[in-house]
Amino acid sequence: MEPGCVEPGEFRAPPLEGASDGGPPNFRWYCLDHVRAFNARYNYFNGMTADEIHHAQRPLAGWERETRAFATAGGDRAPRWSDFSDPLDAIAARFRREVAPERSDGKPLSGQDRESLRVLGLAADADRTGLRKRYSDLVRRYHPDRNGGDRSHEAILQKVIAAYQQLRQAPAFM
């Protein structure tokens, strides 16, 4: 509390200089007007050398150590949050991603490649010949000229064409 101020000290400011007696820190408590004045003149870097200031302002400052929630107390013991029981798999299921099977030739597939394969109805292990054959079948099925001028499948045809154009240039089909 600021000397002479009659307002209640509701806002906490950093502790007074010097170590506490082992208990909680000796915070300063100010009214709104005085905490604003304190914040206006407070300098975190006061008393630091240029090297200490540079070290404190690094982009990764503070990320070097584990937080208490993830730190292991006994070395081998798992953190407390790992003991949480999730019998319905309600939380873990949200973060689990289904991984589609990879290709047998080891060529990587991007997310866009997988989506295009899904549009064409092909497996992840399809080859370039299978890709062309499936594309031809789908174009014949959805093209208005093959359906008596019916343009109701035009949106599907556009997706098929875009998927084929994307896949034929993908590294997995080169």
Side-chain angles (χ1 to χ4, degrees), residues 66 68-80:
E66 285 184 304
R68 286 183 291 178
F70 293 99
T72 54
D76 295 341
R77 204 178 75 195
R80 287 182 308 193

Side-chain angles (χ1 to χ4, degrees), residues 135-146:
Y135 172 69
S136 297
D137 292 343
L138 292 174
V139 167
R140 276 195 297 275
R141 181 185 303 167
Y142 296 123
H143 200 281
D145 291 346
R146 298 287 294 225

Side-chain angles (χ1 to χ4, degrees), residues 46-57:
N46 191 25
M48 290 181 147
T49 66
D51 289 337
E52 291 171 333
I53 293 171
H54 178 71
H55 185 75
Q57 290 180 332

